[in-house]
Amino acid sequence: MIKLINNLWLKRRDIISDGFSESLEYISKIIPLKIHKIPTGTKCWTWVVPEKWSVNDAYIEDMSGKRMLDLKNHPLHIVSYSLPINKTVSRKELLKHLHTSKERPNAIPFEFKYYQRDWGFCIQNNRLKEFNKEKYKVFIDSKFEKGNLEVGECTIKGKTDKTIVLAAHLCHPAQANDDLTGVAVLTGVAKEIFKKKNYYTYKFLFVSETIGSIAYLSQNEDLIPKIEYGVFLEMLGNNNVHALQLSRQGDTKIDRVARHVMKRKFKKFKEGQFRTIVANDEMVFNGPGVNIPMISISRYPYPEYHTSDDNLSIISEKRLEESKDLVLEILDIIDKDFTPKRNFKGPIFLSGYGLWVDWRKNLELNQNMEKIMLSLEGDKTIFDIAEKLDMDFIDVLSFVNKLKKVNLIKTK
């Protein structure tokens, strides 16, 4: 996962760009991708796919020819989707187009104007004092042209066409944690899901933030009724506790399972209602007329967000692996869950069936076996039982499967 981030980090991954396409191509060598291409100008619900943008060169010089800022020194020096410009401007005019971060004065901010026609540069706040001359030459060699918004889709078919969608955004040049860590974890999860036999069908989507999800769903509306749940992954490599943002519905199975796993897995984690932790593509999937329950898993907030400080130094493989394992456990529970119905009366003679559990080996299961027996009326799933008893799902599943093996339960 670190290798993926390292190789894609400094690519010019604007929403429609060669860098975005190259990044999808890189991922397609790890997991198979179908590339959806939605042309510039395509109406996608209330949105329109913008133009492709590229930049060859950009700089600011004083009138003596001294270069004050140069895109070659850092990709974030240019505001993404800036207009081309080649003229002399006053210091007052230039300062209107210089973006800085007062909170992180030594860092270059990440700024974009995807749906506005303007130009701008980004620079460290502590360098503003260097711009003390009356006039400056500004130059941006950028180009707008017709192109294709691309969405990478990896589909792993299950026994049913009921689908779980996992998504991350691949845009944001020179940002490592936001959201290449989500992309890396998404890729890692897909590789593991490929190794299993699954009940659900899984779709892994690599999108440009917001417009990518809107374009994908608007052009594939027939998929919406099949999608049961969604998970958005972002900002997972930094040193912070996990944050679970619930779906808009707030109490669906994906919400409950994610909370249950985090409670049992971590000493500390954060939980918040829909759109209260970090706002992203869950508003597309879980928004008006779509209504797919989508949770978000992140480690947001973090101080380096949307600046040049969001780099490889704040990411660790250990935290990425922790996030990957978390997502896999959530999916595993949803995929393996079923509703058991008893085929017995009275308490089970556990020893007679070889089902008694030694309290010295598994005290939690030993103390809850009778409660599990009382929960097998066909109105609760394995997860419902595990959640109610605050037990490990796999322990309950394993015990109930042993009952199934000796025909003491049937499955609904």
Side-chain angles (χ1 to χ4, degrees), residues 91-106:
R91 178 178 180 273
K92 182 179 178 181
E93 176 69 12
L94 176 63
L95 290 179
K96 292 178 183 178
H97 295 272
L98 281 186
H99 301 265
T100 68
S101 170
K102 292 181 180 178
E103 293 77 18
R104 299 189 74 80
N106 296 315

Side-chain angles (χ1 to χ4, degrees), residues 172-351:
H172 292 17
Q175 300 291 278
N177 196 42
D178 179 20
D179 182 32
L180 283 180
T181 54
V183 168
V185 171
L186 193 66
T187 305
V189 169
K191 285 175 69 177
E192 295 301 317
I193 296 292
F194 265 114
K195 298 175 184 177
K196 298 163 43 180
K197 291 183 178 179
N198 305 292
Y199 173 77
Y200 282 94
T201 290
Y202 292 89
K203 286 188 180 293
F204 299 85
L205 300 179
F206 302 87
V207 298
S208 292
E209 188 173 355
T210 308
I211 184 62
S213 295
I214 288 171
Y216 175 81
L217 288 177
S218 68
Q219 304 302 301
N220 296 278
E221 288 196 30
D222 58 307
L223 292 176
I224 294 174
K226 300 174 184 176
I227 303 175
E228 301 267 310
Y229 308 111
V231 182
F232 199 85
L233 300 175
E234 54 186 332
M235 309 174 207
L236 293 168
N238 56 298
N239 187 22
N240 200 355
V241 298
H242 280 100
L244 167 63
Q245 181 175 272
L246 301 174
S247 71
R248 184 164 59 87
Q249 293 79 358
D251 59 351
T252 68
K253 189 167 188 173
I254 190 81
D255 298 288
R256 291 165 50 215
V257 171
R259 179 190 293 125
H260 181 77
V261 172
M262 286 194 179
K263 278 173 62 179
R264 294 189 64 84
K265 208 170 181 66
F266 307 128
K267 290 180 182 177
K268 282 182 68 179
F269 72 95
K270 225 169 46 166
E271 181 182 311
Q273 297 300 309
F274 188 66
R275 306 289 281 179
T276 62
I277 293 179
V278 57
N280 221 307
D281 289 45
E282 69 281 344
M283 185 60 182
V284 180
F285 286 88
N286 212 166
V290 185
N291 302 318
I292 297 163
M294 176 174 264
I295 62 170
S296 167
I297 297 175
S298 69
R299 295 181 190 264
Y300 186 81
Y302 62 105
E304 301 86 359
Y305 176 71
H306 274 205
T307 72
S308 56
D309 289 340
D310 185 340
N311 54 48
L312 295 170
S313 69
I314 68 170
I315 294 168
S316 83
E317 184 80 33
K318 179 181 177 182
R319 291 190 287 273
L320 295 175
E321 289 289 346
E322 187 180 55
S323 298
K324 184 183 82 170
D325 291 345
L326 166 64
V327 175
L328 285 168
E329 190 168 338
I330 292 168
L331 298 179
D332 197 52
I333 289 174
I334 293 176
D335 208 85
K336 290 179 177 175
D337 199 22
F338 64 89
T339 305
K341 175 95 168 67
R342 62 175 174 80
N343 274 340
F344 61 88
K345 294 178 180 177
I348 298 170
F349 177 30
L350 294 170
S351 295

Side-chain angles (χ1 to χ4, degrees), residues 72 91 136 282 289 301 327 389 398:
K72 293 181 177 67
R91 178 178 180 273
Y136 292 89
E282 69 281 344
V327 175
L389 301 178
S398 178

Side-chain angles (χ1 to χ4, degrees), residues 4 8 24-32 187-188 191 194:
L4 180 150
L8 301 185
L24 281 179
E25 184 180 352
Y26 179 94
I27 295 166
S28 71
K29 294 175 182 175
I30 304 171
I31 56 174
T187 305
K191 285 175 69 177
F194 265 114

